[in-house]
Amino acid sequence: MSQGAAWAEAFLEMMAVERAAAKNTLTAYTRDLADAAGFLAARGRDLASASAEDVEAYFAALGARGLSPATAARRRAAVRQFYRFVLGETWRADDPSRRVEAPKKGRSLPKVLSREEMDRLIAAASARDGAQGLRLGCMVELAYASGLRISELTGLTLAALARDPAYLIVKGKGGKERLAPLNETARAAVKAYLEVRPQFLPPKDKANPWLFPSRGKGGRLTPRRFAQLLDEAAADAGIDPARVSPHVLRHAFATHLLEGGADLRVVQKLLGHADIATTQIYTHVAGDRLAQVMATKHPLAKKG
């Protein structure tokens, strides 16, 4: 067995044991890494010895092979997660799947998922096995429905949602409180999750106050762990995990509200921004998206 194959086997074992990856996820990752290994072998390399140029060539080849965008995105995601694992294990000192990009001039705009991509991400999160799917689906729904920061989401208490509220009282930055609305879909996701919440309680901590308890040291699910689970759901949904993070869910919340015609001041209040200038960046994102729709969907644009 080559070193690259041994590393891939260790990665898949970690996904199965530590992250409780679903069987379909493991099957897909096995196939994706085998595909990458086959491409690298033709260049005289394996997953262990691949350079940044080799991985870049593989990513470019995916687009030229006629694969569906979802399949190509998932394969890139599998390779990126593999090398992230390898880097964490210190088996390599570099990550060949992530080249350092030159700084871009101009204002940096938030990464945003489309509504269709958000639907796919929620579906993939909820499709995980049993209680894991109900918990992750609930977290994604809450973050997207209310624009919560990751610290606000993982800091929610059971008492805050035990009575099926229409609004959350969220304590944000600087201890400032704000109202965060919950739609019917998010409330349904919370109800379904609460049925299985006891499965996540530490053995001797039945009175655990957190909405998302954990058997880890802190007694609740950590932002880092949620980010890891979100990466896996993104890969399952055919979305590059590099485009997804807990904060991207907050960006999607704000941008989709503005695209739907929401008032900027209302979005500012919902996000808990002290300065409306912070919120205004989303008008640039929404404007770009609306311009795209006009350019591709308007009858006169099509004639042009």
Side-chain angles (χ1 to χ4, degrees), residues 99-199:
R99 278 177 169 262
V100 177
E101 296 182 357
K104 297 179 181 179
K105 294 181 180 180
R107 193 173 193 181
S108 176
L109 297 178
K111 296 177 184 177
V112 177
L113 299 178
S114 68
R115 297 185 187 194
E116 185 269 337
E117 286 173 324
M118 275 305 311
D119 287 342
R120 280 163 43 201
L121 182 63
I122 291 170
S126 302
R128 297 175 72 83
D129 292 341
Q132 295 282 344
L134 291 173
R135 180 180 67 176
L136 185 56
C138 176
M139 296 187 79
V140 176
E141 289 271 17
L142 279 176
Y144 180 49
S146 301
L148 300 177
R149 297 180 178 92
I150 179 61
S151 58
E152 295 167 350
L153 178 67
T154 56
L156 287 173
T157 62
L158 176 62
L161 285 109
R163 296 185 179 180
D164 188 26
Y167 292 87
L168 289 174
I169 299 176
V170 180
K171 185 172 287 188
K173 290 185 177 180
K176 293 181 179 178
E177 292 187 343
R178 71 180 190 277
L179 288 178
L182 290 176
N183 59 33
E184 290 300 323
T185 306
R187 291 166 69 183
V190 170
K191 285 181 183 177
Y193 160 69
L194 289 178
E195 294 292 325
V196 300
R197 178 181 174 274
Q199 296 183 35

Side-chain angles (χ1 to χ4, degrees), residues 24-278:
N24 288 346
T25 299
L26 291 172
T27 300
Y29 275 26
T30 301
R31 185 167 55 244
D32 295 339
L33 291 178
D35 184 76
F39 177 89
L40 294 170
R43 295 169 67 96
R45 303 271 194 168
D46 70 355
L47 288 167
S49 61
S51 66
E53 289 76 15
D54 293 322
V55 176
E56 187 177 81
Y58 173 63
F59 285 175
L62 289 174
R65 283 163 55 182
L67 299 174
S68 72
T71 299
R74 195 195 65 236
R75 290 191 174 171
R76 284 191 292 268
V79 171
R80 284 197 172 107
Q81 288 214 59
F82 166 74
Y83 282 117
R84 202 177 301 172
F85 165 74
V86 168
L87 193 65
E89 294 293 320
T90 67
W91 293 339
R92 283 186 65 138
D94 65 322
D95 179 353
S97 71
R98 287 185 183 274
R99 278 177 169 262
V100 177
E101 296 182 357
K104 297 179 181 179
K105 294 181 180 180
R107 193 173 193 181
S108 176
L109 297 178
K111 296 177 184 177
V112 177
L113 299 178
S114 68
R115 297 185 187 194
E116 185 269 337
E117 286 173 324
M118 275 305 311
D119 287 342
R120 280 163 43 201
L121 182 63
I122 291 170
S126 302
R128 297 175 72 83
D129 292 341
Q132 295 282 344
L134 291 173
R135 180 180 67 176
L136 185 56
C138 176
M139 296 187 79
V140 176
E141 289 271 17
L142 279 176
Y144 180 49
S146 301
L148 300 177
R149 297 180 178 92
I150 179 61
S151 58
E152 295 167 350
L153 178 67
T154 56
L156 287 173
T157 62
L158 176 62
L161 285 109
R163 296 185 179 180
D164 188 26
Y167 292 87
L168 289 174
I169 299 176
V170 180
K171 185 172 287 188
K173 290 185 177 180
K176 293 181 179 178
E177 292 187 343
R178 71 180 190 277
L179 288 178
L182 290 176
N183 59 33
E184 290 300 323
T185 306
R187 291 166 69 183
V190 170
K191 285 181 183 177
Y193 160 69
L194 289 178
E195 294 292 325
V196 300
R197 178 181 174 274
Q199 296 183 35
F200 299 102
L201 288 170
K204 297 181 180 180
D205 190 15
K206 302 304 179 185
N208 186 295
W210 304 112
L211 179 63
F212 300 109
S214 166
R215 298 183 181 183
K217 190 175 180 180
R220 59 173 164 165
L221 196 74
T222 64
R224 182 180 178 185
R225 179 61 179 142
F226 176 52
Q228 290 173 339
L229 294 171
L230 203 56
D231 275 355
E232 294 171 21
D236 290 345
I239 302 169
D240 187 346
R243 295 180 55 226
V244 180
S245 71
H247 209 62
V248 167
L249 303 183
R250 181 169 156 88
H251 293 327
F253 163 81
T255 305
H256 296 169
L257 278 177
L258 289 170
E259 286 178 347
D263 181 86
L264 187 64
R265 289 284 182 186
V266 172
V267 176
Q268 177 193 2
K269 292 292 185 185
L270 292 173
L271 289 172
H273 287 162
D275 187 347
I276 197 168
T278 309

